[in-house]
Amino acid sequence: MPPTILRRPVTVMVWLLLSVAGLVLSPFFVVLAALASAITRRPQPLLLARFLVAYFAYELGVLVACGVLWLASGLGLRMRSPSFQKRHHGLLRWFVHGLAEHALELLKIDVCSGSTPDAARALQGGAPLIMFSRHAGPGDTVFLIDLLIDRYRRLPSVVFKETLAIDPSVDLIAHRLPHAVLDTSRREECEARIEQVTRDLPAHGVLVLFPEGGNFTVTRRRRAILKLWRRGESGKAAVALEMEHVMPPHPGGALAALRGNPEADVLFAAHAGLGLAAFPRELWRRTPIGRTFHNQMWLAPAHDRPRDPDEQVKWLYAWWSRLDEWVAEQGAEAPAS
């Protein structure tokens, strides 16, 4: 990714122009998409058009709000003050919840969220938490973050690749709030950033990390297992072979989070129901219309986990096997190998 000083003026201007043009021309696009849906007898063109209109509206709202907040903070001088951090958390809540609600309504998706009693109590409390989640299918990140923000009033710090910063709304909010935006080619810097963000979690904060490193696909799972074999990690590879619905977790980021806040309890999250359309072409072909998004969380108390890093890796894999079993119990179709 280009440096921020070069990237951000371009992305902000491009997305501003796209958002304004998209909203001005939205009646034309929606009518054209409706005709395409009628001709092809498929709902995807109209659904996409309606979602893009909503996305452009929220994108424009966030960019304008970020500009106003930058000016109000004295050209960014007071951006890290509690009052401006609170305003940006509110802006994040509005952006994520709005997009999530619109997607759920358009696709007629029901949400069925469950948590063990101790996980629910931890989420409703104020102590900082670490969350390790499965990563598979469309929209899981947005729906999960929306759940944390809207239901539990949590302040999420999300770990994600810097390529997502091509969206200037994501870029601005992520760098003004304590998220971990990573250049994954620099492993040590990534782990140091995760450790720092976890260490500095405030009350009601929760670090959200996806240890698989990307959306589940059959190819990625196979490649990850082969990499374990080639590195001589036969024990991990053998466990990973038994897990059909998840990819083997990368322990580096997870262990960095545990180092950053050794006293924080860990939440493990799994979801199922929306399929495995990880890329736009697959999502277009297998749009999850009329499905139910099932989400489940478990609590792993800090005092119950091992302190030795090697034992923590085994602990992480054991939990990942549990997530795999839960996904299978939801009736999820086993991916073709």
Side-chain angles (χ1 to χ4, degrees):
M1 289 284 287
T4 300
I5 195 171
L6 299 177
R7 177 188 73 244
R8 194 168 289 168
V10 175
T11 57
V12 169
M13 184 58 64
V14 168
W15 254 258
L16 277 173
L17 293 174
L18 280 176
S19 298
V20 171
L23 292 174
V24 170
L25 299 173
S26 60
F28 170 75
F29 287 139
V30 170
V31 170
L32 190 63
L35 289 173
S37 287
I39 292 170
T40 61
R41 297 184 180 180
R42 301 191 69 195
Q44 282 86 343
L46 182 56
L47 291 174
L48 177 61
R50 291 175 61 189
F51 182 77
L52 283 177
V53 171
Y55 168 75
F56 286 139
Y58 281 103
E59 187 79 13
L60 183 61
V62 169
L63 292 178
V64 171
C66 282
V68 171
L69 289 171
W70 182 73
L71 291 172
S73 67
L75 306 184
L77 293 177
R78 298 193 304 276
M79 195 66 74
R80 301 297 176 183
S81 68
S83 62
F84 280 95
Q85 289 287 288
K86 183 177 180 180
R87 290 182 176 93
H88 280 86
H89 277 296
L91 183 60
L92 175 64
R93 180 179 295 114
W94 176 78
F95 184 52
V96 171
H97 186 64
L99 289 178
E101 285 291 294
H102 201 76
L104 293 172
E105 181 183 351
L106 275 179
L107 299 176
K108 297 180 174 58
I109 292 174
D110 293 324
V111 176
C112 181
S113 295
S115 301
T116 60
D118 53 353
R121 285 193 296 271
L123 283 163
Q124 291 162 358
L129 296 169
I130 298 169
M131 174 178 283
F132 298 145
S133 176
R134 179 195 189 215
H135 199 14
D140 62 344
T141 305
V142 174
F143 296 148
L144 179 62
I145 302 304
D146 179 51
L147 179 68
L148 292 172
I149 292 174
D150 189 60
R151 177 180 295 186
Y152 297 108
R153 300 299 175 184
R154 282 281 173 171
L155 306 176
S157 294
V158 186
V159 180
F160 61 92
K161 297 176 182 177
E162 69 172 1
T163 49
L164 292 179
I166 195 68
D167 181 326
S169 291
V170 174
D171 187 12
L172 289 168
I173 293 177
H175 284 94
R176 292 182 183 184
L177 292 175
H179 296 276
V181 187
L182 306 180
D183 176 356
T184 53
S185 66
R186 302 175 179 178
R187 178 179 173 181
E188 292 184 0
E189 291 182 15
C190 289
E191 293 182 6
R193 176 58 181 164
I194 293 170
E195 190 171 344
Q196 176 191 0
V197 172
T198 314
R199 182 174 56 249
D200 296 339
L201 283 174
H204 301 283
V206 53
L207 181 94
V208 181
L209 187 147
F210 301 91
E212 292 162 306
N215 267 313
F216 178 98
T217 70
V218 173
T219 301
R220 284 175 175 171
R221 174 179 175 268
R222 185 185 301 119
R223 188 182 300 141
I225 294 172
L226 284 173
K227 187 177 291 186
L228 290 174
W229 283 114
R230 289 168 181 164
R231 290 204 303 244
E233 299 178 274
S234 56
K236 294 180 187 176
V239 175
L241 279 171
E242 297 296 320
M243 300 187 293
E244 293 186 330
H245 303 277
V246 296
M247 296 188 294
H250 300 290
L255 266 58
L258 299 179
R259 288 195 303 271
N261 197 331
E263 304 308 315
D265 293 336
V266 173
L267 289 166
F268 284 91
H271 64 271
L274 298 187
L276 297 173
F279 302 105
R281 182 178 178 183
E282 296 172 344
L283 183 57
W284 180 266
R285 294 173 56 192
R286 298 195 295 271
T287 308
I289 301 171
R291 298 192 184 185
T292 299
F293 179 72
H294 295 275
N295 185 73
Q296 179 69 29
M297 299 185 195
W298 299 263
L299 183 72
H303 59 78
D304 283 348
R305 71 171 175 261
R307 298 296 171 175
D308 177 73
D310 291 335
E311 292 301 315
Q312 286 179 343
V313 173
K314 295 177 183 178
W315 168 84
L316 179 63
Y317 266 73
W319 268 104
W320 230 245
S321 295
R322 185 171 177 178
L323 266 58
D324 179 70
E325 291 172 3
W326 180 87
V327 175
E329 290 171 1
Q330 307 313 301
E333 181 182 352
S337 56

